[in-house]
Amino acid sequence: MIRKITLLLLTAFLITACDKGDKSGAQGNWYDALPRESWSKFEKIDTGQNWFEVYKLTDNTYAIYEPYQWQEAISYLLIGSEKAMLVDTLQGIGNLKAVTDKLTNLPIIVMNTHSHYDHVSGNWQYDTIYGVSNPYTLDNTKGHSHEEMKAGMTPDTVWKNLPDTFSFDTYESKPYNIDKFVEDGEIIDIGGRPIEVVYTPGHSPDSVILVDKQNRMMFTGDSFYPAPIYLYSEKASFEDFFISAQIMFDYHDQVDYLMPGHNETMQPAAYLNKLRQATMDIINPSTRYIQGDKRRTYQFDGFSIIVKDPLDFGIR
Ligand SMILES: [Zn+2]
């Protein structure tokens, strides 16, 4: 338990990362609850890269999942008729490019849901990166040195199947360039498959969701996953998230599936209403929460939200 909390603190504060980790209630090892049963209903694809588990979710959508590292990060490969879009690039541990080369011959556009290291550390392997024009994003394109990263990437965080090419002694998050800046509301068309970019700051200043109305999917990054949602890091803003949860809810009748950046995929869109309601509950002073050190944890049905204490709402 103490080790897990230490990991959370290191990840959140030292590496300006973020997210997830439905680990705090478990006894023993963090991976004892794995594999998660919900993945078993999808077709598993062998790409020869054992660090990743790859699942064919639909005819034109793949999930690339890292179940052997405690972040359990997920990226998605969306296939259009002319191009493919890679939503996030994980942590730079295995050879992600070798996976996507197996899945498609189309040119790949990388689009990140936000610039935390566990979503962008494979960007350097790709030629075409789209991103938002935000000072926070631009700062993160410089990458993170081994000194910055080493505390959060330790043998304790890995279960098995670590690639031979990986070393804890040299691990870093490599820099990359953004080739095209995308605006709020912009449509990226990969050929018969329009993907809308929607700014949803809160978890990070540069968080976006990607909405694929044709396939009724919303790629949520860390703005929603079925685990503790982190809104307490230095650059997080509950006040921004409050508005973003409303913006996400506005799509509730246009999507059926939420596609999170960690743990589990294809979650029901009914969570959009629960998330919006949760933000309203949090601003209600009578709502109960668990008091932590300069933070509060609010528990909801299927997820929780960790915010700063005092709550950063209505203060500017
Ligand atoms: Zn994040």
Side-chain angles (χ1 to χ4, degrees):
M1 179 71 117
I2 290 170
R3 179 180 60 78
K4 285 163 192 160
I5 291 170
T6 304
L7 286 174
L8 286 172
L9 291 171
L10 289 171
T11 307
F13 293 117
L14 295 183
I15 319 174
T16 69
C18 45
D19 10 82
K20 81 138 259 169
D22 187 12
K23 320 294 188 189
S24 55
Q27 300 295 316
N29 299 309
W30 63 265
Y31 47 80
D32 289 345
L34 302 182
R36 294 177 187 274
E37 201 273 332
S38 63
W39 286 96
S40 64
K41 60 177 174 278
F42 303 111
E43 179 188 355
K44 200 169 174 179
I45 308 287
D46 183 5
T47 63
Q49 298 292 318
N50 293 335
W51 174 248
F52 307 97
E53 286 189 355
V54 178
Y55 293 90
K56 189 169 187 177
L57 305 180
T58 69
D59 283 348
N60 55 10
T61 307
Y62 297 90
I64 306 169
Y65 172 46
E66 286 188 314
Y68 310 125
Q69 204 273 349
W70 80 285
Q71 293 270 11
E72 291 184 66
I74 309 170
S75 75
Y76 295 94
L77 186 68
L78 286 52
I79 308 295
S81 61
E82 296 167 14
K83 296 177 183 173
M85 178 183 285
L86 182 59
V87 178
D88 291 339
T89 60
L90 307 172
Q91 301 182 89
I93 297 173
N95 188 348
L96 183 62
K97 184 70 163 46
V99 173
T100 55
D101 282 350
K102 281 271 188 186
L103 298 174
T104 184
N105 294 320
L106 294 169
I108 292 177
I109 296 168
V110 169
M111 179 69 209
N112 300 117
T113 60
H114 61 301
S115 62
H116 284 159
Y117 81 93
D118 49 325
H119 298 259
V120 304
S121 290
N123 279 17
W124 68 276
Q125 290 193 294
Y126 293 88
D127 294 331
T128 308
I129 313 291
Y130 287 12
V132 300
S133 180
N134 179 303
Y136 182 76
T137 315
L138 297 176
D139 194 41
N140 281 333
T141 62
K142 298 175 200 162
H144 300 285
S145 69
H146 178 63
E147 280 304 305
E148 291 176 276
M149 300 300 293
K150 65 182 183 183
M153 187 64 74
T154 62
D156 280 357
T157 70
V158 174
W159 175 17
K160 60 181 181 180
N161 286 19
L162 199 60
D164 293 339
T165 51
F166 179 86
S167 168
F168 291 107
D169 298 330
T170 57
Y171 176 68
E172 62 181 355
S173 183
K174 293 187 197 308
Y176 56 92
N177 293 314
I178 293 177
D179 301 286
K180 177 178 162 32
F181 292 112
V182 290
E183 304 288 337
D184 189 21
E186 188 164 337
I187 305 291
I188 302 170
D189 194 347
I190 53 175
R193 189 172 186 180
I195 310 293
E196 183 180 358
V197 180
V198 183
Y199 287 12
T200 53
H203 168 73
S204 72
D206 61 353
S207 292
V208 303
I209 55 166
L210 302 168
V211 183
D212 177 353
K213 291 180 188 169
Q214 199 175 83
N215 293 285
R216 301 188 63 81
M217 294 173 175
M218 176 190 287
F219 297 85
T220 58
D222 290 352
S223 296
F224 177 79
Y225 43 71
I229 296 167
Y230 288 8
L231 300 178
Y232 64 86
S233 69
E234 184 193 346
K235 297 286 187 181
S237 164
F238 175 75
E239 185 152 316
D240 286 349
F241 190 81
F242 182 88
I243 297 165
S244 293
Q246 175 67 56
I247 291 169
M248 290 167 71
F249 176 75
D250 289 345
Y251 289 86
H252 74 278
D253 58 355
Q254 299 177 69
V255 299
D256 292 327
Y257 303 106
L258 308 184
M259 317 294 278
H262 296 275
N263 293 21
E264 298 185 77
T265 192
M266 295 195 83
Q267 297 294 294
Y271 272 124
L272 293 175
N273 190 37
K274 293 181 181 179
L275 188 67
R276 180 184 67 152
Q277 184 60 50
T279 61
M280 291 190 278
D281 288 348
I282 289 173
I283 63 167
N284 180 345
S286 64
T287 301
R288 299 172 71 109
Y289 57 85
I290 300 165
Q291 181 71 57
D293 182 17
K294 296 182 180 172
R295 70 183 72 166
R296 305 174 181 178
T297 300
Y298 290 85
Q299 188 64 51
F300 301 102
D301 179 19
F303 62 99
S304 59
I305 297 180
I306 309 175
V307 297
K308 297 170 191 175
D309 183 48
L311 186 65
D312 52 333
F313 187 85
I315 56 172
R316 48 180 194 201

